[in-house]
């Protein structure tokens, strides 16, 4: 590979796993010159000789060569494993970059790490962005949803690239600036929670509230399930939680059924971290995979413009009215789908959330117990202040966790 000319690349991407490679190709397709770098440098050569052959992509054999190839302000996007690798590259790059240069972490970093890195880079006069990237391999190649947050001064220098490569709905990009420091990765975390949320507690709720089964009876059912193809850690500990008693009483029924969801969780995080979140932008950047029809997107943004602190769209006059008008037909549609064996995951899940939001109590107490069982994450008790932890197995200690480590 010939030496890379100085000041030719618009952005550098570090990390040539499938996401990194596809983002580079995506950027190239949209007219940006990208410098590719990988810790194992022979992977750079292979990439240029194969997937990137015939493109304007350039490669570097060292971080020094990569930095020299960049236009100012220099933009370096890390697509490496979250955790130690991100910190190692930041440590190396700060000695090579200058004030005003930008480092972007496009991996699935924990948002508190992003907060820490933002502070570190800010003290050195540099800008840091933690950006959630959703869409997998195909999304990275042809248009992901991108959720950037961090140093606000970085956005004007990243905007054309990120908007260019992001997914488009009706010609509008599924990308916008989220907010300060760790907010981009926090939004990505919420996105993942919505996407991958585990709903085993629904079965518990049906047995407990509809079939009037005791905790021991429900626990026995979970025990049986764990001996079948449903065998899983969550099934196992659920059975143990249901059978656990204190002073002869089932502890689960004393646990407060509280759990955060979607924009409500974002709202709580904004209060805690003093983030000025772009709620309307977040709603729009998710619309590529959202179940709400496109004609409502303007109303979503209007709802947040009208009341930036609204906890749920169901509290907005427009959406409240629309849901009330159509809920009977909605219920009949879902019911008929169930009777006919037609899978309706979007309609049925949305209806369950709607009913859950209106319900006085929910089975989220089981979720709190599960989290405390496997991670000592504590729970709240009805009528009592503060957080509590139980040594469910008798083998653990009484020290609770202050972070989520599941």
């Amino acid at each position: 590979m010939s030496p890379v000319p100085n000041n030719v690349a618009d952005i550098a991407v570090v990390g040539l796993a499938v996401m990194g490679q596809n983002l580079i190709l995506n950027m190239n397709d949209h007219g940006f010159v990208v410098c590719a770098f990988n810790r194992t440098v022979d992977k750079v050569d292979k990439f240029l000789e194969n997937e990137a052959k015939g493109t304007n992509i350039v490669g570097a054999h060292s971080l020094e060569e990569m930095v020299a190839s960049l236009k100012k302000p220099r933009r370096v996007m890390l697509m490496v494993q979250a955790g130690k690798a991100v910190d190692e590259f930041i440590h190396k790059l700060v000695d090579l970059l200058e004030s005003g240069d930008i480092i972007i972490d496009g991996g699935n970093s924990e948002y508190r790490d992003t907060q820490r890195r933002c502070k570190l880079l800010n003290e050195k006069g540099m800008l840091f962005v933690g950006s959630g990237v959703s869409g997998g391999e195909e999304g990275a190649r042809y248009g992901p949803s991108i959720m950037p947050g961090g140093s606000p001064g970085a956005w004007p220098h990243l905007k054309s690239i990120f908007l260019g490569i992001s997914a488009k709905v009706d010609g509008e990009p599924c990308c916008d600036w989220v907010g300060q420091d760790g907010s981009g990765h926090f939004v990505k975390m919420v996105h993942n929670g919505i996407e991958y949320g585990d709903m085993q507690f629904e079965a518990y709720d049906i047995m407990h509230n509809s079939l009037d089964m005791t905790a021991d009876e429900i626990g026995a059912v979970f025990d049986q399930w764990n001996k079948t193809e449903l065998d899983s850690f969550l099934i196992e500990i659920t059975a143990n939680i249901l059978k656990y008693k204190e002073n002869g009483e089932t502890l689960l029924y004393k646990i407060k059924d509280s759990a955060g969801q979607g924009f409500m969780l974002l709202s709580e995080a904004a209060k805690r971290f003093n983030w000025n979140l772009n709620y309307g932008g977040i709603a729009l950047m998710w619309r590529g995979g959202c179940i709400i029809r496109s004609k409502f997107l303007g109303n979503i943004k209007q709802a947040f413009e009208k009341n930036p602190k609204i906890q749920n769209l169901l509290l907005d006059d427009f959406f409240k009215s629309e849901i009330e008008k159509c809920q009977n037909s909605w219920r009949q549609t879902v019911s008929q789908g169930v009777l006919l064996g037609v899978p309706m995951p979007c309609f049925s899940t949305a209806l369950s959330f709607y009913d859950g939001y209106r319900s006085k109590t929910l089975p989220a107490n089981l979720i709190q117990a599960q989290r405390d069982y496997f991670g000592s994450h504590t729970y709240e008790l009805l009528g009592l202040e503060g957080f509590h932890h139980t040594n469910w197995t008798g083998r653990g200690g009484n020290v609770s966790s202050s972070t989520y480590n599941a």
Side-chain angles (χ1 to χ4, degrees):
M1 186 181 74
S2 302
V4 182
N6 291 346
N7 307 320
V8 297
D10 299 299
I11 189 170
V13 175
V14 176
L16 293 180
V18 63
M19 288 292 287
Q21 288 193 14
N22 283 344
L23 279 174
I24 292 171
L25 293 169
N26 188 350
M27 291 175 183
N28 176 80
D29 288 347
H30 287 84
F32 301 104
V33 177
V34 188
C35 182
F37 177 77
N38 196 77
R39 195 188 328 234
T40 308
V41 293
D42 64 341
K43 198 166 186 178
V44 176
D45 296 330
K46 291 178 182 177
F47 177 55
L48 295 178
E49 293 165 2
N50 294 281
E51 293 87 356
K53 187 175 182 179
T55 69
N56 293 323
I57 298 166
V58 297
H61 281 165
S62 68
L63 287 175
E64 290 81 0
E65 185 180 9
M66 179 195 77
V67 169
S69 75
L70 291 167
K71 301 173 185 176
K72 295 183 180 181
R74 301 178 183 93
R75 293 162 285 199
V76 180
M77 187 168 188
L78 304 178
M79 295 300 298
V80 299
Q81 186 175 3
K84 184 179 179 181
V86 176
D87 286 320
E88 287 178 349
F89 272 110
I90 291 174
H91 179 72
K92 293 175 182 178
L93 285 167
V94 292
D95 293 330
L96 302 174
L97 299 175
E98 300 174 353
S99 178
D101 288 343
I102 304 163
I103 298 176
I104 310 113
D105 176 12
N108 280 323
S109 289
E110 214 273 348
Y111 71 93
R112 280 167 288 204
D113 286 339
T114 305
Q115 290 178 307
R116 170 177 56 81
R117 291 161 185 157
C118 271
K119 183 178 179 181
L120 171 68
L121 270 294
N122 181 64
E123 291 171 352
K124 297 181 179 295
M126 300 174 193
L127 305 174
F128 188 76
V129 171
S131 180
V133 179
S134 178
E137 178 180 352
E138 186 173 350
R141 181 66 184 87
Y142 299 107
S145 171
I146 308 177
M147 302 154 245
S151 306
W155 182 232
H157 303 290
L158 301 177
K159 189 173 183 178
S160 62
I161 298 175
F162 280 12
L163 295 186
I165 68 172
S166 68
K168 308 295 188 300
V169 174
D170 297 329
E172 293 296 319
C174 294
C175 172
D176 204 345
W177 184 252
V178 173
Q180 303 98 307
D181 55 52
S183 59
H185 277 136
F186 191 91
V187 168
K188 180 57 162 55
M189 179 186 73
V190 173
H191 166 278
N192 288 352
I194 294 170
E195 185 174 359
Y196 299 116
D198 202 319
M199 306 299 287
Q200 267 99 334
F201 65 84
E202 289 183 356
Y204 149 73
D205 196 32
I206 292 170
M207 287 185 275
H208 175 54
N209 289 320
S210 298
L211 301 180
D212 202 27
M213 295 170 63
T214 67
D216 288 336
E217 290 171 335
I218 301 170
V221 171
F222 274 85
D223 269 337
Q224 290 300 312
W225 284 354
N226 206 46
K227 298 173 184 176
T228 69
E229 65 273 15
L230 296 176
D231 180 11
S232 72
F233 179 64
L234 188 56
I235 292 286
E236 177 185 346
I237 70 168
T238 298
N240 292 342
I241 288 169
L242 284 158
K243 291 182 286 186
Y244 189 91
K245 292 180 173 60
E246 278 189 354
N247 300 320
E249 296 181 347
T250 302
L251 177 59
L252 176 62
Y253 296 154
K254 299 179 180 180
I255 296 176
K256 187 177 180 180
D257 62 312
S258 62
Q261 288 185 351
F263 279 95
M264 293 181 288
L265 183 57
L266 294 176
S267 177
E268 288 303 311
K271 294 176 186 176
R272 178 173 178 180
F273 300 117
N274 197 29
W275 289 338
N276 182 23
L277 292 184
N278 179 7
Y279 294 105
I282 293 168
L284 295 181
M285 74 177 67
W286 284 350
R287 67 194 185 278
C290 183
I291 66 173
I292 301 174
R293 298 176 69 177
S294 59
K295 68 179 182 180
F296 290 136
L297 296 176
N299 298 104
I300 294 175
K301 187 165 187 179
Q302 288 172 13
F304 285 111
E305 288 175 345
K306 185 169 57 177
N307 182 4
K309 295 183 179 180
I310 192 170
Q311 292 184 335
N312 191 289
L313 288 172
L314 292 173
L315 301 178
D316 177 74
D317 290 340
F318 171 80
F319 288 98
K320 181 180 178 181
S321 174
E322 290 299 309
I323 292 295
E324 287 176 349
K325 285 192 293 186
C326 72
Q327 69 161 307
N328 287 336
S329 298
W330 188 8
R331 296 183 189 282
Q332 291 173 14
T333 300
V334 172
S335 299
Q336 287 300 310
V338 171
L339 291 172
L340 296 172
V342 178
M344 306 181 73
C346 293
F347 283 162
S348 60
T349 302
L351 182 58
S352 293
F353 175 81
Y354 175 63
D355 286 335
Y357 193 69
R358 302 183 306 134
S359 297
K360 184 177 180 180
T361 60
L362 290 168
N365 53 349
L366 177 57
I367 299 176
Q368 302 304 315
Q370 289 171 336
R371 293 179 71 251
D372 189 59
Y373 186 109
F374 66 70
S376 302
H377 298 302
T378 73
Y379 51 81
E380 295 175 88
L381 288 171
L382 295 170
L384 292 178
E385 294 291 329
F387 293 86
H388 307 267
H389 167 60
T390 292
N391 182 0
W392 297 90
T393 64
R395 298 187 299 273
N398 294 316
V399 179
S400 62
S401 175
S402 60
T403 57
Y404 186 72
N405 299 312

